Amino acid sequence: IYNYIKKKNTNNCSIFIFTNKADIDLTQSDARNEYLIKLKKKISEDEIDIKEIEFYFTSINDSSIFEAFSKVVQKMIPCSPNICKLLNHFANHSKIEKAYLFDLVTKLYIGHNDEKLTDQYRYDICSDILDIFIDISYLYDKDRHDGESKTT
């Protein structure tokens, strides 16, 4: 990672590292912290300007990859704090516990109403509901059925 950062012009950017949960070496918090300290030390020695470096532990076997990408996308959207405030306002006035703003196609959430960490279980439920919604909307897609049923 360090060689890549050094080789590319990465000044004033954020670095997001996605690691497989099965990689035992980096899932241990001590090993991860030690690696991060060494990486930051090398970067500072070479005077490379990096905004932040974050690790995300993901797997293709659960929704952790979507959640990690969602967090990265939120950091890249300048108005993300405002979106979260609006969702918080919406949740408080609607008396609901959790509110997400999802991108339907990618299943990434653009924002949520709670500053706390998101709940993996709730995210999985929302993701499953989105799948059902997409499947049902495909069944009732007016344009698709109109094209098939037209006769001349």
Side-chain angles (χ1 to χ4, degrees):
I1 295 171
Y2 169 75
N3 291 333
Y4 180 80
I5 293 171
K6 187 175 177 183
K7 185 170 36 171
K8 301 292 182 183
N9 185 10
T10 55
N11 287 336
N12 200 24
C13 71
S14 299
I15 305 292
F16 303 104
I17 302 167
F18 295 87
T19 305
N20 191 324
K21 287 180 180 179
D23 186 359
I24 302 299
D25 293 339
L26 289 177
T27 55
Q28 306 296 328
S29 63
D30 292 339
R32 181 178 62 240
N33 290 339
E34 183 180 328
Y35 179 79
L36 196 55
I37 289 168
K38 286 180 183 177
L39 182 60
K40 287 182 177 182
K41 183 178 178 185
K42 283 184 178 182
I43 288 171
S44 66
E45 285 173 357
D46 285 349
E47 298 178 357
I48 300 172
D49 184 26
I50 300 290
K51 281 185 189 176
E52 62 184 321
I53 299 174
E54 290 191 21
F55 278 94
Y56 293 98
F57 296 100
T58 62
S59 172
I60 60 170
N61 299 323
D62 60 20
S63 60
S64 61
I65 188 74
F66 295 109
E67 189 167 356
F69 272 114
S70 295
K71 290 176 182 177
V72 170
V73 167
Q74 287 179 38
K75 290 180 183 238
M76 298 174 85
I77 298 174
C79 63
S80 184
N82 293 335
I83 292 171
C84 292
K85 286 178 188 175
L86 287 171
L87 286 171
N88 194 26
H89 185 73
F90 169 74
N92 287 338
H93 282 63
S94 302
K95 296 185 178 14
I96 58 176
E97 197 172 318
K98 193 76 172 167
Y100 288 96
L101 177 62
F102 274 92
D103 175 51
L104 194 58
V105 176
T106 62
K107 290 194 251 179
L108 300 180
Y109 62 90
I110 310 303
H112 57 91
N113 69 313
D114 202 350
E115 286 79 31
K116 301 175 203 160
L117 293 175
T118 58
D119 181 5
Q120 184 74 35
Y121 177 72
R122 286 187 184 159
Y123 181 82
D124 289 340
I125 289 174
C126 289
S127 181
D128 291 343
I129 290 171
L130 288 175
D131 284 337
I132 292 168
F133 178 79
I134 290 169
D135 292 344
I136 290 174
S137 65
Y138 180 74
L139 290 173
Y140 294 99
D141 185 2
K142 184 178 184 286
D143 294 333
R144 185 179 74 92
H145 291 297
D146 286 348
E148 291 174 0
S149 63
K150 287 185 180 175
T151 57
T152 49

